């Protein structure tokens, strides 16, 4: 354990150089023209694992983007940790808001700026370097397997089937994931819950072509007006979702757990200031932390229609569109919720328009117990490095594949994330503090040690 800091210090510049090589690959899974970049990123990960000391590593095909699998089996009798990460990233739009090239990593003010710096190339790469550290210093206390996918940002459509087909190969005692955040750099936390996700796209069609808004406005339904009205009706005056059946399977969190959540440091005024808003908004009867952690939500992610170019064009659009996501809590089924949305949205449309709802990807929520040896090992490892016992924390985000791992592989996951709220994941100027990157590399070997000790 004494060798950890020394090894990091000796190799920190090389670690960054190697990470930057991965960051420069524009592996955007949602844009088909980047297909060659997906393969390039997968091969980069394979080579990284082999150089770090894996016995074997390979790029394995799926109907979509490949999965990278690697392993080092020191003794079949020892525990096995399965590391999950993803090499795909989100699109960079709007490009004009970036202060530097989104695929040319740049260090400013102690942070790495680049798409994927945090989510999830930076966080995933911590595991490769922590693994290398343990191999090179002869301190690896257990077996390690790696599963690095390229479709997380589009809902992992092929990973569940791939896991089913490779169930024997993926046998492990715990899955270790760094794709979440901490409450703050001075308030370490371990994510114990994720929300599920149902994602849909709606299309509202009126006349068979764009019309002159003076000649037809007021006589023909405007799909943009109708869509705005339909979306507005999806919440009531208390900001509860109005879709019938939406809350039927929601498990109310016990007052004791809500009280425990309230112990997490949260400064509402600082929160508002950081977002430049005058007030928060959400379901009545719940705090901001509860609204993002234990309550389901519905939000418009994009809305468009008609003329949106420079200047004026007085048209009544033929079509209007919106992309809508619903974040779900454990026990809500994403397929059921998507169908409830479709049925309701179609039912509230006036006869003057046609509505089409396309259901995209989704996934179940996840809750991790805090009374397991794996959680206790993670907690102790974080406390060693940060000097404070971490707070168990339910995240508002979603990693749909995590619940699939438990269903298909029968393995629980530890969500040991080191990102921060200020990292701007999915947004322009995504970044990752160097301090968090190196702290992560320092923490992970300690988890391996404490977890392996608990299994003796």
């Amino acid at each position: 354990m004494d060798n950890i800091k020394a090894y990091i210090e000796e190799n920190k510049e090389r670690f960054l150089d190697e990470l930057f090589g991965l960051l420069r690959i524009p592996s955007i899974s949602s844009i088909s023209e980047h297909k060659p970049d997906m393969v390039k990123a997968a091969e980069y990960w394979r080579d990284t694992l082999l150089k770090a000391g894996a016995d074997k590593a390979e790029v394995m095909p799926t109907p979509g983007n490949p999965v990278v699998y690697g392993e080092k089996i020191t003794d079949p009798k020892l525990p096995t940790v399965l590391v999950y990460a993803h090499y795909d990233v989100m699109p960079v739009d709007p490009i004009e808001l970036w202060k530097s090239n989104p695929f040319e990593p740049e260090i400013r003010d102690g942070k790495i700026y680049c798409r994927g710096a945090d989510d999830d190339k930076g966080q995933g790469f911590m595991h490769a370097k922590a693994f290398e550290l343990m191999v090179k210093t002869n301190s690896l206390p257990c077996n390690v397997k790696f599963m690095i996918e390229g479709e997380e940002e589009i809902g992992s459509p092929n990973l569940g089937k791939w896991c089913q087909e490779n169930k024997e190969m993926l046998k492990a005692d715990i899955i270790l994931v760094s794709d979440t955040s901490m409450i703050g750099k001075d308030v370490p936390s371990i994510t114990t819950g994720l929300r599920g996700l149902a994602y849909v796209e709606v299309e509202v069609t009126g006349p068979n072509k764009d019309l002159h808004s003076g000649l037809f406005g007021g006589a023909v339904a405007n799909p943009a007006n109708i869509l705005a009205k339909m979306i507005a009706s999806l919440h009531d005056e208390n900001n509860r979702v109005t879709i019938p059946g939406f809350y039927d399977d929601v498990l109310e969190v016990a007052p004791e757990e809500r009280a425990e959540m309230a112990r997490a440091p949260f400064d509402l005024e600082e929160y508002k200031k950081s977002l430049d808003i005058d007030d928060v908004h959400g379901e009545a009867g719940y705090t901001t932390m509860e609204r993002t952690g234990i309550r389901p939500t519905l939000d418009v992610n994009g809305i468009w229609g008609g003329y949106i170019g420079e200047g004026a064009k007085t048209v009544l659009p033929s079509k209007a569109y919106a992309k809508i996501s619903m974040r779900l809590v454990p026990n809500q089924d994403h397929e059921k919720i998507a169908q409830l949305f479709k049925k309701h949205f179609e039912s509230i449309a006036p006869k003057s328009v046609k509505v089409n709802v396309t259901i995209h990807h989704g996934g179940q929520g996840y809750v991790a117990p805090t009374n397991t040896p794996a959680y206790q090992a993670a907690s102790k490892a974080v406390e060693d490095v940060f000097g404070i016992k971490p707070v168990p924390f339910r995240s508002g985000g979603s990693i749909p594949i995590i619940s699939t791992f438990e269903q298909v592989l029968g393995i629980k996951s530890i969500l040991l994330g080191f990102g921060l709220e200020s990292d701007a994941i999915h947004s322009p100027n995504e970044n990752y503090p160097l301090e968090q990157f190196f702290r992560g590399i320092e923490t992970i070997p300690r988890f391996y040690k404490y977890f392996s000790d608990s299994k003796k």
Side-chain angles (χ1 to χ4, degrees):
M1 299 291 280
D2 295 336
N3 295 331
I4 295 176
K5 282 191 174 183
Y7 191 89
I8 293 172
E9 189 60 35
E10 289 170 12
N11 295 278
K12 63 194 307 183
E13 294 304 320
R14 176 175 60 84
F15 287 177
L16 290 175
D17 286 342
E18 293 173 359
L19 169 61
F20 287 7
L22 179 61
L23 289 173
R24 290 188 179 102
I25 304 171
S27 47
I28 304 171
S29 54
S30 61
I31 300 177
S32 58
E33 67 188 55
H34 285 283
K35 187 75 174 177
D37 295 313
M38 310 311 295
V39 176
K40 188 176 179 181
E43 292 173 343
Y44 195 101
W45 254 107
R46 175 200 61 198
D47 296 345
T48 295
L49 293 177
L50 289 171
K51 290 174 185 174
D55 296 330
K56 71 172 186 178
E58 56 187 313
V59 176
M60 301 182 68
T62 76
N65 298 324
V67 176
V68 182
Y69 175 78
E71 66 176 30
K72 186 169 187 66
I73 307 301
T74 57
D75 184 343
K77 296 177 183 178
L78 290 175
T80 299
V81 174
L82 174 58
V83 175
Y84 165 80
H86 64 91
Y87 62 82
D88 65 319
V89 298
M90 277 284 184
V92 297
D93 303 305
I95 186 74
E96 66 274 9
L97 296 184
W98 284 81
K99 295 179 180 178
S100 55
N101 185 331
F103 289 108
E104 183 52 52
E106 185 175 295
I107 296 176
R108 301 194 306 270
D109 302 320
K111 300 177 180 181
I112 306 165
Y113 283 85
C114 194
R115 173 58 87 226
D118 172 332
D119 184 18
D120 181 46
K121 291 179 178 178
Q123 291 214 61
F125 213 72
M126 296 183 309
H127 289 271
K129 297 298 101 180
F131 170 64
E132 175 196 309
L133 183 159
M134 290 183 286
V135 172
K136 303 301 183 187
T137 59
N138 297 310
S139 59
L140 182 64
C142 61
N143 306 309
V144 188
K145 297 177 179 180
F146 288 87
M147 170 174 54
I148 317 295
E149 73 153 322
E151 297 182 321
E152 193 275 340
E153 299 293 13
I154 55 172
S156 305
N158 295 293
L159 192 58
K161 185 171 184 286
W162 184 86
C163 286
Q164 187 69 56
E165 293 169 347
N166 296 281
K167 196 171 180 179
E168 187 67 26
M169 180 179 75
L170 296 171
K171 278 189 172 179
D173 295 277
I174 194 69
I175 298 174
L176 185 60
V177 184
S178 294
D179 194 19
T180 52
S181 297
M182 289 185 162
I183 294 174
K185 68 182 183 68
D186 298 320
V187 188
S189 57
I190 296 175
T191 300
T192 57
L194 294 166
R195 291 196 288 186
L197 175 68
Y199 197 98
V200 301
E201 182 172 334
V202 299
E203 176 189 73
V204 177
T205 303
N208 58 7
K209 57 182 175 295
D210 286 359
L211 301 176
H212 189 291
S213 65
L215 299 178
F216 293 93
V220 177
N222 183 324
N225 293 354
I226 299 293
L227 176 59
K229 187 175 182 179
M230 291 172 69
I231 288 174
S233 75
L234 295 176
H235 291 89
D236 66 15
E237 66 277 6
N238 292 312
N239 294 312
R240 283 176 61 89
V241 177
T242 57
I243 298 170
F246 186 81
Y247 294 96
D248 284 359
D249 299 321
V250 173
L251 298 178
E252 294 292 336
V253 175
E256 295 79 14
E257 186 172 351
R258 290 179 72 178
E260 184 68 18
M261 286 180 64
R263 290 180 54 244
F266 178 72
D267 187 326
L268 182 59
E269 292 307 313
E270 183 59 34
Y271 181 82
K272 291 189 290 187
K273 182 180 177 182
S274 69
L275 298 174
D276 196 19
I277 57 176
D278 293 329
D279 203 359
V280 292
H281 184 84
E283 185 180 358
Y286 295 91
T287 67
T288 298
M289 294 282 278
E290 290 173 337
R291 289 167 180 166
T292 60
I294 62 172
R295 299 299 295 168
T297 56
L298 182 152
D299 284 289
V300 175
N301 304 129
I303 185 168
W304 68 100
Y307 181 69
I308 55 173
E310 184 178 354
K313 184 181 180 185
T314 52
V315 295
L316 189 154
S318 171
K319 294 178 179 289
Y321 306 83
K323 292 179 185 285
I324 296 171
S325 65
M326 289 157 282
R327 298 286 178 165
L328 313 175
V329 294
N331 207 49
Q332 281 185 299
D333 181 80
H334 73 96
E335 293 178 345
K336 176 182 176 181
I337 293 297
Q339 290 297 332
L340 287 175
F341 177 94
K342 179 179 172 68
K343 180 181 178 182
H344 176 68
F345 206 73
E346 290 173 347
S347 74
I348 62 174
K351 291 182 180 180
S352 53
V353 298
K354 302 180 187 71
V355 169
N356 182 55
V357 177
T358 301
I359 297 172
H360 290 306
H361 66 274
Q364 305 300 91
Y366 181 76
V367 174
T370 58
N371 59 351
T372 62
Y375 180 86
Q376 297 304 322
S379 180
K380 193 170 186 333
V382 171
E383 186 173 2
D384 279 1
V385 174
F386 286 78
I388 306 170
K389 187 175 182 179
V391 177
F393 172 70
R394 285 206 191 188
S395 168
S398 304
I399 310 176
I401 197 63
I402 298 296
S403 59
T404 304
F405 289 155
E406 186 167 5
Q407 295 163 10
V408 174
L409 301 176
I411 310 173
K412 286 284 188 183
S413 296
I414 288 293
L415 304 170
L416 189 61
F418 296 86
L420 299 176
E421 182 187 324
S422 57
D423 292 352
I425 61 172
H426 295 196
S427 301
N429 304 303
E430 179 178 350
N431 64 88
Y432 193 36
L434 292 169
E435 183 180 22
Q436 293 298 104
F437 177 69
F438 291 120
R439 275 178 158 183
I441 298 173
E442 188 181 347
T443 303
I444 291 165
R446 288 177 161 82
F447 168 81
Y448 278 73
K449 180 185 185 302
Y450 295 139
F451 180 66
S452 299
D453 287 349
S454 75
K455 303 295 281 186
K456 289 179 182 177

